[in-house]
Structure formats: C-alpha cells, structure tokens
C-alpha cells in the first residue's frame, strides 16, 4: 500500500511538473509577442527622438536661408544658426546614433561587417567634415571661405555651408531609424497568423463536476475507458459546474461546451452533438459535425469512425449545440500548441538561399567601403587635375563635392534590404500556410518544396481514405462447390440475412481491417434483423494470417478468406466463382469468398475508398509538369486499378512494397535527378518521408497525429476536407514564396546596382545627375520598404479551389 501511495505521489508530482512546463511555454509565447511589441515601441521612440533633432537642422539648412535674414555671429566665423545645428547634430549623431557605433564595433570585432558599419562611417564622415569646415572658418575666416561663398543662397556664409553637412548626418540617421521602425512593424505583421492562433486559446473553461466525484481527482481517460460504468452521463447524473481558469483544467476533467463558446482544450465529446467551426485550425470553412462517443470506443475498431468524429480541438468555435467533453490534452500537448510551436520553429529557420544573401552581405560591405574611398580619390584627382566647370561645382569646394559623392555611395549601398528578403517572406508564407491547414517546418523545406519535380503518393490513407469498405456482394446459389460432391444436388440456399449474420459473428472477433469493413457492411445492411437477433459468440475461432478466418456458429462451419484459404478447406472454386473473383480484382477490390459448411455462398468485394479529390490533384500536378508516382503495399492488380482511377500512369506504380522498398524507390528517383516529395500518413511511411527531399504527412486526425507526423515529415496537412488537394495548394504556396524571395532580392539589389553609379557621380559631368546623401538615405529606406511590402503581399494568396465533378 505504501508503494502504491508513493507511486500516486510521484505521478502527481510529475503532472504538476508537466503543467509548470506547459504554463512556461505558453508564457514564453506571450512573452515573445510582447517582445515584438516592445521592439516596435523602441524603434518608434528612436525615430521620433532623432526627428526632434533633425527637423530644426533641416529648417535652418534648407528653409531659413530663404528668409533673407541677417546672420547673428557669436564670434568671427561662427553664426548662431551653425551653433544650433552643431549642437542638435551632435545630439543626433552620438546620443541617437550610438546604436550604430555599438553595432559597428561588434561587427568589426566578429569580422562580420554589416549595415551599421556603413551608417557609422557615412554619418561620421559628414559630421566630422562639417565640424572641420566650421572650425576652419573660425580660425581662418578667409582661408577656405572663398571656395564656399558661391552658392545658391547669397547671404549664406562659408561656415554655414559647412554646417550643411550636419543636415546630411542627422537626416540620414533619422531615415535609417524610420526604416528600422517600419521593419519592426512588418515583422509584427508577418507574425499575425501566429498571433491569431495564440488568441484562439480560451482563458477559461466550464468545469463539470459529477456529484460522485466532487472531492476526487480527475479520472484519467485510460482509466475511464476500462470502466464503462464510471462514464459521466449528464442526462441521469447530477453535477455542478463552475468557470475556472484554463490552467486549472487537467486531463480527464469534464468540461461543458455551449453555443458560441471557444473550445478551451483538446477533448472527446462524450454527450451531445456540436457543429464546430475549425477554419482557423484546418482551413475548412464548413462547420464540422461532432457527435458524442464514449472514451472507451476509441479502443474499438468498429467505433473508429465515430471516435474520430467526436474529437474536439482546442481553439475551435462551437457554432451550434451543447455538449459535454472529456479533456484529452492540455497546455503544450494540445494540437493548437503544437501547431504554434511548428510555426515558430519555421519562422526562426533560414532557407539555404539565405546563405547566398549572407555571403553577398559579408563581401558587399568591404567592397562598398572600397568603392566609396575610390570615389572620393577619383573625384579629388578629377577636380584638381582637370579644368572642371565651375557651374557644376554648385557652390561647393572640391573636397566637399568629392565627399558628397563618397558618402552617397556608402548610404545607397546599405544591404539591409538584402537581409530582409528571405526572413520576411518565410514569416508571412508560413503564417499563410497555417491558415490554409498547412504546417511548414522551416525555410529549408520551403526551398526544397518549390523545386519539387516528382510527387510519390502512398495509397492507403493518402489517395484513399484508409478505411476499407465492402463495395460489392454477390450470392452464389446455383453452382456446386465442394469438389467431392460435384455430382450432388445440394446448394447454399441460406437466406441473405442469415448468411450476413453468420459472417458478422465470425468477423467481429477479428481485428483485421477487412473484418471491420465486413462488420460495418452487415450492420448497415440488416439493422432490423440484428435488433431481433443480436450477434452471438462463436466457438473455435481460428484465424490464418494472410489467408482468412473460420469458426463454428451453432451447427454451421463459417469461413471467410481468399483463394488459398478456400483451397485449404477443400472448397471447390467453380467457374462462376473464379469469374466473380477476377472481376472484383480487376476493379481494384480485394475479393474474399464466404463459406458455409464448405460451400461457397458468396463473394465480397472490398476496397479502400478513393478520396474524391485524388484524381483532380493528380491531373493538376501533371499540368504543372510534376511527375506522379504511387507506391503501395497492395497487390499489383489492385494498385494498377487505383492508379488508373486517379490518373497515375501504370508504369509509375510500385506495388507490394515494404517500407524499405518505398525508401529504395525514393532513392532511385533522386539518383535520376528528381526532387522528390513523398506524401503519406506520417506513421508507417516515416522512412520514406525522411528519405525524400520533402516529406508531406496527411494527418487524418489533427488531434493525435500532428505530433507523430511532425517527427518524420517536413510538412503536415491538417485540412481534412480535401487533404490531397491541399498537397497541390502546398506546392503552389511554396513556389510562390520562393518566387517572392527572388523578387525581394531584385528589389534589394535594384536600388544598389542602379543607385551606386548615380551616387558615385559617374553621370554628373554629362547629365548633371547627382544623388545627395539625404536622397540616398531615402532610397535606402525605400529599398527595405519595397521588400517588406513584397513579402506582405503573400497574404493575398488565394489557393486553387477544388471543384468536385
């Protein structure tokens, strides 16, 4: 007894520890969202503070001279206006802009030069040059003044013209901060899908406490499934209910769900019928009907469909009905939490193409610094060694004009947009995928999926629904079947209802999927007969693996199996029987014979049901020039029949394949240069999913298969309405995302490649084209904004619609 108590205490401690971990993970999710918001606020603050210093400088430098007012000199060569601009520029340069110096220092220390280095060099050069000009004007008013006085503003002195560079450094810093603020806003917006999913989590739940368990701990689902008498029935049991915080809900608790309420956590509906809007989780717009299923039915093969239809996902909305459900998972174990975690991991991962951007950035900055210095040197040589036209100097000194071109080169070349090209597209794209029932694990998966040239489908559970069904039943009455009684006149004239009843008595003792299909067929065919004649328990049940099963039901020997099984019982297969067997097999069905007392009384044709969207998906993939294969463990005839129905070429079918054979098929296609996507159910197809370039798992039940499928697959489809068609949508989306990444690179490099020659002044002598540092900073900001807007347009993605024919 003491040991049992210790075990209970240990279990309770583990449960509490798990709950603390789950609460911490939820807290971390909310903390991450809060961090994004804090970054936005911080970037906005930096921009506004720098703008407070930059606007007066812009006014004094660009507007004030046009008023024609006389300058007030504090001392010879130093005006009040220059002093104000100097003070404000110093504030912006070193107080607001200290982040660039800190980033540049860290980059140089780590040998990773980036945008901060360019901004620090460019703004510092402009600031220092302005200070030098003012100081030269103070100590030698006539020294450099002559070269400054011929400008557009006749009353503007030489030292004030030097102060013009304060405007360059301050405004440049302000525009960079503006770009950072817009970037932070974009990152927060790209995270919108994740935020929407997090907001689906209900904060409270209506906890139901049956009177006989008011002071007891929640009963685990596994325990309840073994004790049917303890299952809660609100129609006959008294109970109390109260609203509790979601963190107080445990596995095994019973919760009440009412119309319009958000389902607080994953659960099994045990009483009532609900219509549930699962659009936010699976992308399905039509509300799903959920019917009650007792927890112990989950372990019964015959109740598999009903059990699946009773699954409730936390975060979905009950649009109609009232029901009672038992909690199956909480916290980080829920489907919603797992989906959020997968999206977070995907958004934090980088696509291989990002390596290209990183390599470009790593060499781009040193090259730009070199080009900037070269621009300064070349222009100094041109200005001092040639008769450069005075009108093109525009009132600037030789060194001033050369420095303007040099600083403009530094500013226009900032590679910040290049760094945004990939991550922003991945963030938006993975969010769009989640809203369409597609979970993408990372950037590497996106890039590989965009290049897929071959899709390999598993059959069972993928192209088909994975649940065998009796498609045809033929009675055999008029032919002799026993080989030793070929001249006799006995026939299998048993009534249809009685025959089906005997078959159900036999097959309900088997856990084989085909047996489950036969039992369902009988239940649907003779419900009235079964009410008055419940299924009995047979005697001497005997199953032969891969062949069939038999038992004694009263005075009759009942058997169901394949040809080999019949031959083992000494049963004679007539020509009519052989013809029916061949006919069913040609249609892709598994044909089994029904035997009563060594007489063949009928033939059942059983096959998996092909999904209604399988053929349309295969044909559409072919239109996209994607090679389509099917690999299955079924026999050749069945496999080829299914392939023909869905539009797959027979030569692209591999049948009777074990898991290792599926891997070999994937490897063979990869050796031929194909980029292969494997589509399976994520459990028995795991080796092939791992071997393929892109593993896509179709999750038949988003409640318990997401975690399993995620281990092997790169993508998980949780849209259960048209899951095969969603594979097509998945490939369309990844191709669009990757095209958008490439377009982002175009936007990122367009400003640089077109702007650097203009900023360097190459066209200035001929076309009088000159890019001031201020305009260069605007162009740099526009480059980042263009990339962000390009990524955000992914939210306009409209998936191809499946039209049932």
């Amino acid at each position: 007894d003491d040991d049992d108590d210790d075990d209970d205490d240990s279990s309770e401690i583990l449960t509490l520890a798990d709950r603390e971990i789950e609460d911490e993970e939820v807290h971390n999710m909310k903390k991450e969202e809060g961090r994004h918001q804090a970054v936005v606020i911080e970037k906005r603050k930096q921009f506004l503070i720098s703008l407070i210093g930059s606007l007066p400088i812009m006014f004094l430098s660009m507007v004030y001279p046009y008023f024609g007012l006389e300058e007030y000199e504090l001392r010879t060569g130093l005006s009040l206006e220059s002093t104000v601009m100097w003070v404000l520029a110093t504030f912006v340069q070193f107080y607001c802009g200290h982040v660039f110096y800190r980033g540049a220092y860290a980059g140089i220390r780590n040998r990773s030069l980036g945008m901060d280095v360019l901004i620090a060099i460019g703004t510092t050069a402009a600031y220092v040059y302005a200070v030098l000009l003012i100081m030269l004007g103070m100590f030698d008013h006539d020294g450099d003044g002559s070269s400054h006085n011929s400008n557009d503003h006749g009353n503007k002195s030489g030292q004030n013209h030097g102060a013009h560079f304060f405007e360059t450094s301050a405004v440049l810093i302000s525009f960079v901060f503006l770009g950072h603020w817009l970037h932070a806003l974009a990152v927060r917006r790209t995270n919108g899908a994740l935020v929407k999913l997090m907001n689906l989590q209900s904060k409270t739940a209506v906890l139901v406490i049956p009177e006989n368990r008011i002071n007891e701990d929640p009963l685990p689902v596994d325990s309840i499934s073994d004790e049917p008498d303890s299952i809660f029935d609100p129609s006959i049991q008294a109970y109390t209910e109260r609203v509790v915080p979601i963190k107080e809900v445990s596995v095994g608790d019973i919760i009440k769900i009412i119309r319009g309420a958000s389902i607080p956590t994953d659960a099994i509906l045990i009483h009532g019928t609900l219509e549930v809007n699962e659009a936010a989780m699976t992308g399905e717009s039509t509300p799903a009907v959920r019917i009650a299923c007792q927890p112990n039915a989950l372990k019964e093969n015959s109740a598999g469909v009903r059990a699946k239809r009773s699954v409730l996902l936390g975060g979905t909305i009950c649009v109609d009905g009232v029901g009672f459900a038992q909690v199956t998972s909480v916290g980080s174990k829920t489907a919603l939490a797992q989906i959020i975690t997968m999206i977070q991991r995907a958004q934090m991962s980088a696509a291989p193409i990002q390596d290209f951007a990183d390599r470009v950035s790593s060499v781009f900055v040193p090259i730009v610094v070199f080009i900037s210095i070269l621009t300064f040197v070349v222009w100094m040589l041109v200005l001092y060694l040639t008769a450069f036209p005075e009108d093109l100097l525009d009132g600037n000194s030789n060194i001033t004009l050369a420095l303007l071109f040099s600083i403009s080169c530094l500013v226009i070349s900032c590679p910040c947009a290049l760094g945004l090209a990939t991550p922003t597209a991945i963030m938006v794209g993975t969010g769009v995928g989640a809203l369409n029932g597609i979970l993408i694990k990372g950037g590497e998966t996106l890039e590989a999926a965009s290049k897929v040239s071959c899709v390999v489908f598993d059959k069972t559970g993928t192209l088909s629904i994975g649940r065998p069904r009796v498609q045809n039943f033929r009675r055999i009455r008029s032919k002799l079947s026993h080989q030793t009684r070929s001249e006799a006149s006995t026939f299998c004239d048993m009534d249809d209802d009685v025959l089906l009843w005997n078959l159900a008595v036999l097959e309900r003792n088997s856990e084989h999927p085909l047996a489950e299909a036969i039992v369902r067929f009988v239940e649907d065919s003779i419900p009235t007969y079964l009410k008055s004649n419940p299924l009995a328990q047979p005697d001497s049940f005997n199953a032969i693996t891969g062949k069939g099963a038999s038992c004694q039901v009263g005075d009759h020997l009942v058997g169901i199996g394949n040809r080999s099984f019949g031959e083992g019982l000494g049963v004679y297969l007539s020509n009519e029987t052989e013809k029916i067997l061949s006919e069913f097999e040609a249609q892709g069905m598994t044909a089994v014979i029904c035997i009563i007392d060594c007489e063949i009384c009928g033939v059942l044709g059983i096959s998996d049901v092909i999904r209604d969207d399988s053929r349309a998906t295969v044909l559409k993939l072919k239109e996209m020039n994607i090679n389509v294969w099917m690999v299955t463990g079924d026999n050749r005839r069945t496999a080829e029949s299914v392939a023909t129905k869905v539009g797959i070429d027979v030569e692209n079918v591999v049948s009777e394949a074990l898991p290792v054979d599926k891997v070999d098929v994937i490897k063979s296609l990869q050796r031929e240069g194909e980029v292969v996507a494997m589509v399976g159910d994520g459990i028995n197809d795991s080796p092939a999913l791992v071997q393929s370039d892109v593993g896509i798992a179709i999750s038949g039940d988003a409640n318990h298969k997401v975690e399993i499928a995620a281990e092997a697959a790169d993508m998980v489809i949780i849209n259960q309405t048209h899951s095969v068609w969603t594979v097509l949508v998945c490939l369309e989306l990844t191709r669009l995302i990757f095209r958008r990444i490439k377009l982002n690179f175009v936007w990122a490099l367009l400003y640089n490649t077109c702007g650097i020659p203009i900023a360097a002044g190459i066209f200035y002598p001929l076309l009088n084209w000159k890019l001031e540092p201020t305009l260069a900073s605007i162009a740099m900001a526009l480059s980042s904004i263009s990339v962000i807007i390009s990524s955000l347009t992914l939210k306009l993605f409209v998936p191809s619609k499946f039209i049932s024919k």
Side-chain angles (χ1 to χ4, degrees):
D1 293 339
D2 292 341
D3 292 340
D4 292 339
D5 292 340
D6 291 342
D7 290 340
D8 292 340
D9 292 341
S10 300
S11 299
E12 183 176 354
I13 291 172
L14 288 173
T15 301
L16 291 173
D18 289 342
R19 177 56 56 83
E20 289 177 0
I21 293 173
E22 292 165 3
D23 290 343
E24 182 180 355
E25 290 180 353
V26 174
H27 173 71
N28 289 338
M29 292 178 189
K30 295 179 179 178
K31 186 177 179 181
E32 182 68 14
E33 171 59 19
R35 189 185 68 82
H36 282 300
Q37 177 64 20
V39 170
V40 171
I41 295 174
E42 177 64 22
K43 297 302 180 184
R44 181 180 63 188
K45 178 181 175 182
Q46 290 175 340
F47 168 66
L48 293 178
I49 291 176
S50 66
L51 193 63
I52 291 174
S54 299
L55 285 177
I57 295 176
M58 292 175 66
F59 174 79
L60 292 173
S61 175
M62 302 174 65
V63 180
Y64 182 75
Y66 288 98
F67 290 168
L69 302 177
E70 185 177 349
E71 295 181 349
Y72 179 80
E73 291 194 348
L74 298 178
R75 54 159 295 174
T76 303
L78 180 63
S79 67
L80 176 62
E81 294 84 350
S82 298
T83 304
V84 171
M85 285 192 285
W86 190 351
V87 172
L88 291 174
T90 302
F91 167 77
V92 174
Q93 183 71 36
F94 298 105
Y95 177 77
C96 300
H98 77 281
V99 293
F100 301 117
Y101 289 106
R102 191 168 56 195
Y105 173 75
I108 294 172
R109 187 175 182 181
N110 297 325
R111 297 181 180 180
S112 176
L113 304 183
M115 170 183 168
D116 289 338
V117 173
L118 299 182
I119 298 300
I121 293 175
T123 58
T124 301
Y127 176 84
V128 170
Y129 183 63
V131 172
L132 288 177
L133 286 182
I134 289 178
M135 300 206 46
L136 286 174
M138 290 170 55
F139 295 109
D140 185 10
H141 186 55
D142 296 327
D144 195 38
S146 59
S147 61
H148 298 157
N149 291 337
S150 58
N151 53 62
D152 291 340
H153 317 305
N155 64 332
K156 188 176 179 180
S157 65
Q159 63 270 20
N160 277 359
H161 186 67
H164 168 73
F165 274 89
F166 287 134
E167 173 205 329
T168 300
S169 64
V171 172
L172 175 57
I173 288 175
S174 294
F175 273 114
V176 173
F177 279 135
L178 174 61
H180 286 184
W181 180 26
L182 294 174
H183 175 213
L185 285 171
V187 169
R188 187 160 177 250
R189 286 194 63 187
T190 58
N191 211 35
L194 191 59
V195 175
K196 287 181 181 179
L197 288 173
M198 291 175 62
N199 289 336
L200 293 176
Q201 176 64 63
S202 177
K203 305 298 186 294
T204 60
V206 179
L207 184 64
V208 173
I209 308 174
E211 280 192 355
N212 61 341
R213 286 177 50 207
I214 290 181
N215 296 317
E216 298 179 11
D217 293 331
L219 194 59
V221 174
D222 291 341
S223 298
I224 291 179
S225 64
D226 294 328
E227 301 176 18
D229 294 338
S230 66
I231 296 173
F232 172 66
D233 186 350
S235 63
I236 60 175
Q237 286 181 256
Y239 63 90
T240 59
E241 60 181 59
R242 57 191 177 93
V243 178
V244 298
I246 189 63
K247 65 180 181 180
E248 294 184 14
V249 177
S250 302
V251 173
D253 278 341
I254 298 173
I255 56 176
K256 183 178 181 180
I257 301 167
I258 61 176
R259 180 178 181 179
S262 172
I263 297 175
T265 188
D266 293 356
I268 294 291
L269 186 63
I270 60 175
H271 190 274
T273 301
L274 305 177
E275 286 191 25
V276 182
N277 183 350
E278 299 179 345
M281 289 282 287
T282 66
E284 301 173 20
S285 57
T286 304
V289 177
R290 296 291 177 239
I291 58 177
C293 176
Q294 300 294 1
N296 62 332
L298 289 172
K299 294 188 176 181
E300 298 180 6
N301 289 335
S302 61
V305 181
R306 190 175 178 87
K308 177 180 174 181
R309 293 184 63 188
S310 67
V311 172
L312 302 175
L313 301 180
T316 55
I317 306 296
C318 173
V319 296
D320 196 12
V322 176
F324 294 81
Q326 187 169 42
V327 176
T328 57
S329 55
V330 295
S332 61
K333 300 297 188 299
T334 64
L336 176 62
Q338 292 175 33
I339 290 170
I340 291 174
T341 299
M342 291 181 69
I343 296 174
Q344 286 179 320
R345 290 174 181 172
Q347 292 185 344
M348 289 187 293
S349 66
I353 196 172
Q354 180 64 28
D355 295 337
F356 165 75
D358 294 339
R359 289 195 302 270
V360 170
S361 296
S362 64
V363 300
F364 194 66
V365 173
I367 292 175
V368 166
V369 172
F370 172 77
I371 292 175
S372 177
I373 295 173
L374 181 64
T375 298
F376 179 78
V377 172
V378 169
W379 270 105
M380 289 296 292
L381 293 175
V382 169
L383 292 172
Y384 279 101
L385 299 180
T386 63
F388 198 78
E390 285 290 334
D391 59 320
L392 292 179
L393 288 174
D394 197 23
N396 297 299
S397 65
N398 291 342
I399 191 172
T400 299
L401 188 62
L403 191 59
L404 280 172
F405 288 132
S406 178
I407 294 175
S408 294
C409 276
L410 283 174
V411 175
I412 195 67
S413 304
C414 283
C416 52
L418 198 63
L420 295 175
T422 300
T424 55
I426 289 177
M427 285 182 179
V428 177
T430 52
V432 171
L435 295 178
N436 284 278
I438 304 167
L439 304 183
I440 303 171
K441 292 184 70 172
E444 184 175 353
T445 299
L446 279 173
E447 183 166 346
S450 69
K451 301 175 182 177
V452 165
S453 60
C454 178
V455 176
V456 178
F457 285 101
D458 174 50
K459 183 184 77 69
T460 305
T462 306
L463 294 173
S464 65
I465 62 176
R467 190 169 62 252
R469 181 183 300 172
V470 175
Q471 304 288 349
N472 208 333
F473 174 51
R474 298 272 187 88
R475 283 300 308 269
I476 298 178
R477 299 178 185 271
S478 59
K479 296 293 181 181
L480 298 173
S481 56
H482 197 283
Q483 60 184 359
T484 63
R485 299 161 58 189
S486 58
E487 302 297 330
S489 59
T490 58
F491 307 99
C492 184
D493 291 327
M494 182 179 287
D495 184 74
D496 287 355
D497 290 356
V498 178
L499 172 61
L500 292 176
W501 183 88
N502 278 277
L503 298 180
V505 169
L506 165 63
E507 291 293 50
R508 77 166 184 164
N509 289 275
S510 173
E511 294 185 354
H512 195 281
L514 297 185
E516 179 185 342
I518 293 172
V519 172
R520 285 201 308 269
F521 172 71
V522 173
E523 290 175 343
D524 294 339
S525 300
I526 55 171
T528 304
Y529 185 84
L530 289 175
K531 285 183 180 180
S532 56
N533 298 275
L535 296 178
Q537 183 63 31
D539 297 324
S540 62
F541 177 84
N542 180 39
I544 302 176
T545 303
K547 294 185 177 182
S550 63
C551 71
Q552 191 72 31
V553 183
D555 296 332
H556 299 289
L557 175 65
V558 182
I560 297 180
N562 55 22
R563 285 185 179 85
S564 177
F565 178 75
E567 292 170 357
L569 292 180
V571 174
Y572 169 69
L573 272 66
S574 66
N575 291 335
E576 180 187 5
T577 303
E578 284 285 4
K579 182 178 179 182
I580 295 173
L581 290 172
S582 298
E583 178 187 340
F584 285 177
E585 289 172 349
Q587 295 174 8
M589 292 185 282
T590 299
V592 295
I593 53 177
C594 307
I595 303 170
I596 302 292
D597 296 330
C598 294
E599 294 280 351
I600 296 179
C601 299
V603 180
L604 289 167
I606 306 172
S607 69
D608 201 353
V609 180
I610 297 175
R611 296 181 188 267
D612 59 354
D613 55 341
S614 293
R615 180 174 177 82
T617 303
V618 170
L619 296 179
K620 186 68 174 178
L621 287 172
K622 287 184 174 181
E623 289 180 10
M624 297 168 62
N625 294 321
I626 294 177
N627 197 13
V628 183
W629 282 66
M630 185 180 78
V631 182
T632 177
D634 277 346
N635 62 73
R636 183 72 185 177
R637 182 176 290 180
T638 300
E640 290 182 355
S641 174
V642 172
T644 302
K645 291 177 181 178
V646 300
I648 297 176
D649 299 332
V650 175
E651 57 269 23
N652 286 357
V653 175
V654 178
S655 59
E656 300 177 9
L658 298 174
V660 65
D661 298 323
K662 296 181 180 182
V663 172
D664 290 339
V665 171
I666 301 293
K667 289 181 177 179
S668 175
L669 291 170
Q670 289 172 331
R671 283 194 294 269
E672 294 174 5
E674 301 277 12
V675 179
V676 183
M678 172 67 193
V679 185
D681 64 10
I683 300 174
N684 59 338
D685 295 314
S686 294
L689 289 169
V690 173
Q691 176 62 40
S692 63
D693 298 287
V694 181
I696 304 176
I698 292 181
S699 176
D701 181 349
N703 185 47
H704 73 272
K705 283 192 178 179
V706 169
E707 184 175 3
I708 299 172
E711 295 298 324
D714 302 303
M715 299 182 183
V716 181
I717 305 297
I718 61 174
N719 185 327
Q720 299 175 45
T721 301
H722 298 122
S723 51
V724 180
W725 184 262
T726 307
V727 173
L728 170 68
V729 174
C730 176
L731 297 180
E732 287 180 337
L733 177 60
T734 55
R735 289 186 174 190
L736 176 62
I737 293 173
F738 200 66
R739 286 199 304 268
R740 192 53 46 88
I741 290 175
K742 292 180 178 179
L743 179 62
N744 287 349
F745 281 138
V746 172
W747 282 114
L749 297 174
L750 181 64
Y751 288 88
N752 292 335
T753 54
C754 295
I756 288 178
I758 300 175
I762 293 177
F763 304 107
Y764 186 59
L766 298 176
L767 303 175
N768 200 23
W769 288 1
K770 182 174 67 173
L771 192 65
E772 296 284 350
T774 302
L775 294 177
S777 66
I778 294 174
M780 181 198 67
L782 287 175
S783 176
S784 298
I785 293 172
S786 300
V787 167
I788 292 170
I789 293 175
S790 174
S791 295
L792 288 175
T793 56
L794 285 171
K795 290 190 173 185
L796 303 177
F797 170 72
V798 178
S800 296
K801 297 296 182 182
F802 169 70
I803 301 176
S804 180
K805 296 182 180 180

